[in-house]
Amino acid sequence: MEFLKTILLACGSAFVTGLFTIMLSNLTYKREQKRKQEMRDEQILKKLDEIENKLNLHIADDERYRVEEGRTRFLRFCDECRRGVLHTEEHWNDIIKDIDVYKEYCMRHVDYQNERAVRTIDYLIEKYDEHIKNNTFLGGKAQ
């Protein structure tokens, strides 16, 4: 009987030790998995930040490119007006829209050089007002 108690005690101790070892091992495994997941999450967030920064740069470049295309259009349009080329009211409205977009962009981006178009804009607005007042657009009544 003593022998049986010793065996049961030894088996019980081994069982409890094994059980705690398994539980500790399981906790360690879960902590390691959590740490690895946190590292993956950090890497994903870092990549997302990089992508967001690149996207923001592309958006800013695209916006500036479109504004500069509009400026080119209204500068060229102004050259035509100074040479006496007439334009339809619709064409004028498109140019005025380009000017509005350009001016709004310049207000939001104070570092953007605006001096190159200020006089042209003033000239075109003045001429547009004259055309509106006198109805002298290409295709208008008072030609």
Side-chain angles (χ1 to χ4, degrees):
M1 180 106 151
E2 219 29 61
F3 178 70
L4 189 56
K5 280 185 180 180
T6 306
I7 290 177
L8 286 175
L9 186 62
C11 287
S13 295
F15 175 75
V16 169
T17 302
L19 185 61
F20 280 120
T21 302
I22 290 171
M23 289 172 53
L24 182 62
S25 173
N26 191 25
L27 285 173
T28 304
Y29 175 78
K30 286 182 178 180
R31 282 187 193 135
E32 182 63 23
Q33 291 304 311
K34 184 177 178 184
R35 189 185 66 76
K36 286 180 181 178
Q37 183 61 46
E38 287 171 353
M39 288 175 58
R40 284 191 296 269
D41 291 348
E42 282 181 34
Q43 290 172 341
I44 290 169
L45 290 174
K46 183 179 176 184
K47 282 289 186 189
L48 284 174
D49 284 343
E50 290 173 10
I51 291 169
E52 181 182 29
N53 290 337
K54 286 180 181 180
L55 179 60
N56 288 336
L57 285 173
H58 283 292
I59 289 170
D61 288 346
D62 183 59
E63 183 182 23
R64 183 165 63 232
Y65 178 77
R66 285 184 287 114
V67 164
E68 289 178 354
E69 279 186 324
R71 184 185 65 216
T72 299
R73 279 191 300 274
F74 70 72
L75 290 172
R76 193 169 291 137
F77 184 88
C78 187
D79 290 343
E80 292 174 2
C81 291
R82 288 185 170 134
R83 288 193 324 264
V85 176
L86 295 176
H87 300 91
T88 64
E89 184 175 7
E90 199 171 310
H91 195 174
W92 271 96
N93 289 336
D94 286 344
I95 292 302
I96 296 301
K97 182 180 175 187
D98 284 340
I99 290 171
D100 289 343
V101 169
Y102 179 79
K103 287 168 66 175
E104 192 270 330
Y105 181 84
C106 290
M107 285 190 318
R108 285 188 296 114
H109 299 85
V110 292
D111 58 326
Y112 185 75
Q113 292 183 353
N114 182 25
E115 296 82 31
R116 301 188 308 198
V118 173
R119 289 189 188 106
T120 298
I121 291 171
D122 291 343
Y123 175 83
L124 287 173
I125 298 298
E126 181 182 318
K127 290 298 176 187
Y128 181 74
D129 289 343
E130 287 176 20
H131 284 300
I132 290 284
K133 181 180 174 185
N134 301 318
N135 192 25
T136 53
F137 296 107
L138 180 63
K141 296 177 185 173
Q143 284 191 13

